[in-house]
Amino acid sequence: EPEVTQTPSHQVTQMGQEVILRCVPISNHLYFYWYRQILGQKVEFLVSFYNNEISEKSEIFDDQFSVERPDGSNFTLKIRSTKLEDSAMYFCASSLATGGLETQYFGPGTRLLVL
Amino acid sequence: AQTVTQSQPEMSVQEAETVTLSCTYDTSESDYYLFWYKQPPSRQMILVIRQEAYKQQNATENRFSVNFQKAAKSFSLKISDSQLGDAAMYFCAYRMDSSYKLIFGSGTRLLVRP
């Protein structure tokens, strides 16, 4: 069964550095998402992306974050200047469509640690 | 703002027994969707079951069923004939009709005793 994959599984970075988290959504899916989960807290929505545009974003998704679909298979989340509070598990998800009971399929996550 | 609450941080069930995980939510919307996701250790979240708010009939998927009480804003998950493979973190999630985002509860860790 097709799965969403994410790389790397773990990343350690220094505060102020840029990081790029990578995701390969399920191949025929058209909608892409990023969520994050800070340790001990709820999974939080960051952004959704469709047709090369952000379709919805949360308050968390400020100017230090950006998303891109650089080619036909990858979907990336860039954090320009990491802060200590960006340490979290970041989940990518994809769906074939949106609305209704459409299922979002999640990747295994990238654990980001900012020192 | 919509919120999802899972009041049970951890639950335990004997293999082959039945367990119910609770979930309540707060919304003023009339059209929305509810989901239960399962996250096994070190694995991705997978959808267990889903429910449309306008459908009164409770969803069922094999051993998994929900008790959806719209007026009470409650969406509990019942797992029958529990198996060792059911041990995981279970997340309740809400999505309103006009939004892309899932709003998650804090999760319930389910332990299955052999």
Side-chain angles (χ1 to χ4, degrees), chain B residues 11-21 62-65 77-87 90 110-114:
Chain B
M11 291 284 285
S12 180
V13 63
Q14 190 76 35
E15 196 176 3
E17 297 294 307
T18 296
V19 65
T20 298
L21 309 184
N62 301 313
R63 297 183 295 108
F64 298 87
S65 61
L77 174 69
K78 186 170 84 170
I79 306 173
S80 304
D81 185 25
S82 297
Q83 300 175 0
L84 295 178
D86 294 334
Y90 286 82
L110 178 66
L111 306 173
V112 181
R113 304 187 303 275

Side-chain angles (χ1 to χ4, degrees), chain B residues 42-111:
Chain B
S42 303
R43 299 288 306 277
Q44 50 251 69
M45 278 190 281
I46 55 174
L47 182 72
V48 174
I49 197 165
R50 51 194 178 174
Q51 173 89 36
E52 298 142 302
Y54 63 81
K55 279 196 175 177
Q56 292 186 342
Q57 185 172 5
N58 289 322
T60 299
E61 289 287 343
N62 301 313
R63 297 183 295 108
F64 298 87
S65 61
V66 297
N67 183 5
F68 174 49
Q69 302 288 330
K70 190 171 184 179
K73 296 179 182 174
S74 172
F75 183 61
S76 60
L77 174 69
K78 186 170 84 170
I79 306 173
S80 304
D81 185 25
S82 297
Q83 300 175 0
L84 295 178
D86 294 334
M89 197 75 164
Y90 286 82
F91 292 98
C92 178
Y94 161 100
R95 186 175 63 76
M96 67 181 183
D97 193 39
S98 58
S99 173
Y100 296 89
K101 71 179 178 185
L102 291 170
I103 298 171
F104 285 88
S106 54
T108 296
R109 183 174 305 281
L110 178 66
L111 306 173

Side-chain angles (χ1 to χ4, degrees), chain A:
Chain A
E1 185 172 334
E3 289 187 337
V4 176
T5 59
Q6 292 184 243
T7 54
S9 58
H10 295 78
Q11 178 143 8
V12 181
T13 190
Q14 295 291 321
M15 188 171 58
Q17 294 296 303
E18 174 183 287
V19 296
I20 297 176
L21 309 183
R22 290 182 168 80
C23 168
V24 178
I26 294 173
S27 62
N28 62 338
H29 284 188
L30 301 175
Y31 295 81
F32 314 111
Y33 314 85
W34 284 101
Y35 292 80
R36 78 173 185 189
Q37 185 178 28
I38 295 171
L39 190 63
Q41 298 187 21
K42 294 181 179 182
V43 176
E44 304 171 288
F45 170 81
L46 293 177
V47 66
S48 62
F49 190 84
Y50 168 71
N51 199 25
N52 283 321
E53 289 184 348
I54 291 174
S55 45
E56 187 175 355
K57 62 181 181 179
S58 71
E59 296 168 351
I60 304 167
F61 195 87
D62 60 22
D63 291 344
Q64 70 158 345
F65 291 95
S66 62
V67 289
E68 189 180 28
R69 188 151 165 82
D71 52 43
S73 59
N74 290 283
F75 179 52
T76 61
L77 174 69
K78 182 193 290 186
I79 309 174
R80 289 191 182 83
S81 179
T82 50
K83 305 172 187 171
L84 295 177
E85 54 265 36
D86 293 328
S87 294
M89 181 74 95
Y90 288 81
F91 296 103
C92 174
S94 69
S95 64
L96 181 59
T98 190
L101 287 175
E102 190 62 35
T103 298
Q104 294 183 18
Y105 293 82
F106 284 80
T110 292
R111 186 171 296 283
L112 176 66
L113 179 60
V114 182
L115 301 176

